[in-house]
Amino acid sequence: MLLAHSESLQSPWQWQPHPEVWAIMALVLAGYFLALKIVGPRFVSPGDPSATRREKSLFVGGVLVLWISADWPMHDLSEEFLFSAHMLQHFLFSLVAPPLLILGTPGWLARWILRPKVVMSAARRLSRPITALLLFNGYLVFSHWPGFVDFVLGSQAAHFFAHLVLVGLALLMWAPVFSPIHEIPRISAPAQMLYLFGQTIVPTVPASFLTFAEKPFYKAYSEAPRISAGLDAVTDQRIAGVFMKLGGGLLLWAVIAVLFFRWSAREEQGTPDAAEWQDLERQINQARAINR
């Protein structure tokens, strides 16, 4: 997620410290738990926790996924050696960490972070299902253009910014499914399933080009040191393409399956979910407290 090396390594198993990664992840976790301790009591009922144990676990899990993706050896493999590792890194940045972070963020905290009107307005507009889907997938396709990949691999600042944009757009993409606040409402369960199905379609285009290419697309990876005699640049690229198509698709279909069974269970019961109504009432009260 962070900065490319200034000098190529000769082996991905040569340990390389990334203190900037540790510092950023530590700041994110410290900010989260300080907010729960200092800010949270202002917006929850007396005696209620600022966040549930489940929310804390999910948020920490999301940060750990980001840390694993951005630190050695994943960082070094993806930046210096293998496009397939680069693809795995982007999979973690966009499809694994963001939903964990969203599900781990209490509604009051999300609302407090987005409290400036211009920020909330932008988040509402950009997280609308069609807009979020187009933004995320447009960037996904563009970020696999050979000129873009070779450029960001050669620029530390550009690479950091590219990963930052990817995570930000992924958060917007997942918001219609997992948003914790009514200001950015979750779409209905059937719409969520259709939405995520749409998300499985566009990545098949660059994945197909990568899988069936007869030559390497990316100069940086074609010139990278080989970590295995049988893993040339074209084979590496094909592995990346297969993973892009199958890895992302399987995860999204797994989420769709969970959403379907939960929705089906609610429909069979045929009664409103009292917990959802209580949660909505609690969110409204928290929103009023933040806006005072």
Side-chain angles (χ1 to χ4, degrees), residues 1-9 12 16 18 20-21 69-90 93 149-156 158-160 162-163 219-226 236:
M1 180 181 179
L2 299 179
L3 306 181
H5 295 159
S6 58
E7 296 181 1
S8 295
L9 300 174
Q16 184 77 7
H18 297 287
E20 71 279 11
V21 175
S69 307
D71 202 3
W72 179 88
M74 180 68 72
H75 175 277
D76 306 276
L77 280 167
S78 65
E79 310 302 325
E80 299 283 345
F81 297 93
L82 297 174
F83 183 64
S84 52
H86 175 91
M87 189 67 73
L88 174 59
Q89 183 187 54
H90 282 211
F93 280 155
V149 173
D150 287 330
F151 169 72
V152 297
L153 286 175
S155 168
Q156 295 181 354
H159 208 171
F160 174 75
H163 283 164
K219 180 180 179 182
Y221 289 108
S222 66
E223 297 177 351
R226 297 293 101 202
D236 175 41

Side-chain angles (χ1 to χ4, degrees), residues 7 12 14 65 72 94 104 126 185 202 219 240 246 251 265 269 285:
E7 296 181 1
Q14 174 188 334
V65 171
W72 179 88
S94 59
L126 296 177
V202 175
K219 180 180 179 182
L246 297 183
L251 185 144
Q269 292 174 0
N285 292 334

Side-chain angles (χ1 to χ4, degrees), residues 91 94-96 99 133 136-137 140 173-174 177-178 192-193 195-203 244-260:
F91 168 83
S94 59
L95 297 182
V96 180
L133 203 64
F136 178 77
N137 284 282
L140 185 71
M173 187 273 287
W174 284 104
V177 181
F178 295 127
Q192 289 176 0
M193 291 182 273
Y195 174 77
L196 292 179
F197 169 73
Q199 176 57 46
T200 67
I201 296 173
V202 175
M244 185 180 189
K245 180 176 177 60
L246 297 183
L250 288 173
L251 185 144
L252 291 168
W253 276 106
V255 176
I256 290 171
V258 172
L259 293 172
F260 173 78

Side-chain angles (χ1 to χ4, degrees), residues 43-109:
F43 304 118
V44 299
S45 301
D48 287 347
S50 297
T52 64
R53 180 176 297 180
R54 176 177 179 271
E55 287 172 332
K56 294 175 184 177
S57 298
L58 288 169
F59 190 88
V60 171
V63 174
L64 286 175
V65 171
L66 289 178
W67 173 64
I68 291 170
S69 307
D71 202 3
W72 179 88
M74 180 68 72
H75 175 277
D76 306 276
L77 280 167
S78 65
E79 310 302 325
E80 299 283 345
F81 297 93
L82 297 174
F83 183 64
S84 52
H86 175 91
M87 189 67 73
L88 174 59
Q89 183 187 54
H90 282 211
F91 168 83
L92 296 173
F93 280 155
S94 59
L95 297 182
V96 180
L100 293 176
L101 295 174
I102 294 174
L103 289 169
T105 303
W108 67 263
L109 179 55

